[in-house]
Amino acid sequence: MENWELIIIGAGAAGLAAGIYGARSGLKTLIIEEKMAGGTTSDAPVVENYPGFPQISGGELAQKITLHCKKAGVTIRELETVTDLDLTGERKIVKTTRTAYEAKAIIIATGSHYREIGVKGEKEFRGRGVSYCGVCDGPLFKGKRVLVIGGGNSAATTTLYLSGIAAEVTVVHRRDAFRAEEALVKDIASKKNVQVFLNTEVREIKGEKLVTNVVLFDKKAGETKELAVDAVFVQVGEAPNSQIARDAGIEVDDEGYIKSNIFQRTNIPGVYAAGDVTNHPVKQVGTAVGEGITAALEAYGYIRQPYYYRK
Ligand SMILES: Cc1cc2nc3c(=O)[nH]c(=O)nc-3n(C[C@H](O)[C@H](O)[C@H](O)COP(=O)(O)OP(=O)(O)OC[C@H]3O[C@@H](n4cnc5c(N)ncnc54)[C@H](O)[C@@H]3O)c2cc1C
């Protein structure tokens, strides 16, 4: 079994930031990532709120953080999924699709995944017009009619991104107002090719080989109507990737987010959580980075026990 001092699960903003601080503290640090390093940051069309970068594509920002992490001396194993954790002993065991590892401390930075709306047609047309990522699939619908579902920041940024690609963008939100930042809502209102339907639910996604129509229900009017669209972008929030942690005895809140304190400690000594998988109320690149840094420095204290470490 390979031996490491610190193993970080997930190479998103939180995991990569933790990696930089872990390696720079002198810890033998490994990051295990089931996809390619970069995480959800890569899905953000444009990032305009990460300090130091007034405007940068999510892909470029993710690349820069990954490169920085590699330069710090972290080993990143990509395309390897962590399947099981044994956190009962002093040495923590991490099993993956490739092998098993041992570490003195673990940071769980597995992020979250897109929520589904659970209507007829959503599963059938996934990848055939139904998408959860505007920046990944938006360019496929250049000059077409697209629908965005949701009212938060993800729905708003996806709408703005798609308005520069698609001919028409319709946004459907089941409540009577957006939850997104005011600046984004104003930007949406200024776009000539964007129409907004509030108090409206999507009841079905229809098509043949590809998506052709959606069935909408106007909750105020009590009316059902059909709208012709070529793609549906579901942007109704995320759920945490916390299953392996839960199975290993890590405490989570009602929604499944890992409970961590201001030191990013979980209920198991030597196990930390950082980023979107935690119950921290803000889910941003900046907060993920901050939590990753705190987790790595705490893991350092736990492993090396310097005189100033608060037990
Ligand atoms: C469309 C969109 C736009 C956004 N725009 C902005 C923005 O403008 N500004 C901003 O600050 N934030 C933005 N965000 C939010 C931001 O991207 C996230 O808050 C941040 O990336 C979270 O980082 P993380 O490291 O916690 O999680 P992630 O980046 O999701 O990383 C988690 C990683 O863990 C890996 N993983 C999961 N399970 C396993 C496993 N079992 N084994 C191995 N690896 C695993 C995943 O593959 C993933 O790479 C946006 C998000 C979206 C979706």
Side-chain angles (χ1 to χ4, degrees):
M1 204 181 305
E2 269 186 47
N3 265 287
W4 293 82
E5 288 188 287
L6 175 62
I7 291 184
I8 299 161
I9 308 168
L16 292 166
I20 293 169
Y21 276 71
R24 284 174 58 84
S25 300
L27 297 177
K28 193 182 165 208
T29 304
L30 170 71
I31 302 183
I32 304 170
E33 166 57 52
E34 69 178 343
K35 296 179 188 153
M36 300 301 286
T40 311
T41 306
S42 321
D43 294 348
V46 191
V47 175
E48 294 184 338
N49 50 13
Y50 189 69
F53 296 91
Q55 190 176 69
I56 185 167
S57 79
E60 195 185 344
L61 181 59
Q63 251 181 9
K64 281 184 188 293
I65 302 175
T66 303
L67 193 66
H68 187 168
C69 188
K70 286 181 178 163
K71 274 194 175 160
V74 179
T75 300
I76 305 178
R77 301 255 161 90
E78 293 173 316
L79 303 174
E80 184 169 343
T81 304
V82 173
T83 52
D84 194 36
L85 296 171
D86 182 351
L87 308 174
T88 47
E90 207 157 283
R91 304 288 299 182
K92 318 292 178 202
I93 311 290
V94 178
K95 290 190 183 138
T96 72
T97 38
R98 206 172 288 165
T99 184
Y101 304 90
E102 230 183 51
K104 290 181 180 163
I106 303 282
I107 297 174
I108 300 166
T110 43
S112 56
H113 60 272
Y114 304 112
R115 268 189 212 282
E116 297 180 352
I117 50 165
V119 297
K120 192 166 172 227
E122 183 179 18
K123 278 203 170 36
E124 294 89 317
F125 292 106
R126 190 172 185 152
R128 295 191 290 134
V130 173
S131 168
Y132 297 82
C133 177
V135 75
C136 318
D137 301 326
L140 301 172
F141 300 96
K142 193 168 172 9
K144 307 259 175 156
R145 297 155 303 183
V146 302
L147 183 88
V148 177
I149 305 171
N153 282 342
S154 293
T157 52
T158 300
T159 300
L160 291 168
Y161 176 69
L162 292 173
S163 71
I165 296 172
E168 286 169 31
V169 184
T170 303
V171 192
V172 169
H173 183 36
R174 65 193 167 121
R175 303 202 192 281
D176 58 5
F178 283 109
R179 256 186 310 112
E181 281 170 31
E182 195 57 38
L184 298 173
V185 177
K186 274 192 185 152
D187 270 2
I188 288 176
S190 74
K191 298 288 175 193
K192 294 218 161 34
N193 62 341
V194 177
Q195 63 173 339
V196 177
F197 293 149
L198 295 173
N199 292 304
T200 301
E201 288 175 358
V202 174
R203 288 282 166 93
E204 189 181 344
I205 300 168
K206 290 180 163 182
E208 287 167 20
K209 278 187 180 156
L210 302 170
V211 167
T212 56
N213 287 69
V214 283
V215 178
L216 302 178
F217 177 66
D218 182 330
K219 295 200 294 180
K220 260 196 171 161
E223 281 168 9
T224 301
K225 62 182 171 194
E226 280 205 22
L227 185 75
V229 292
D230 303 293
V232 176
F233 289 87
V234 182
Q235 298 284 302
V236 294
E238 285 106 49
N241 300 324
S242 59
Q243 192 61 48
I244 49 161
R246 274 188 273 175
D247 292 346
I250 303 268
E251 281 176 12
V252 298
D253 69 10
D254 291 345
E255 291 179 83
Y257 289 94
I258 295 178
K259 287 186 186 174
S260 58
N261 67 9
I262 56 163
F263 303 112
Q264 304 308 133
R265 295 175 187 171
T266 67
N267 57 308
I268 299 184
V271 181
Y272 305 85
D276 283 8
V277 74
T278 72
N279 61 347
H280 190 282
V282 183
K283 313 277 185 226
Q284 289 283 280
V285 179
T287 49
V289 164
E291 291 172 49
I293 292 169
T294 304
L297 294 178
E298 280 298 304
Y300 170 79
Y302 174 82
I303 293 168
R304 297 283 166 84
Q305 300 280 319
Y307 71 91
Y308 55 82
Y309 177 63
R310 299 162 302 254
K311 283 200 178 146

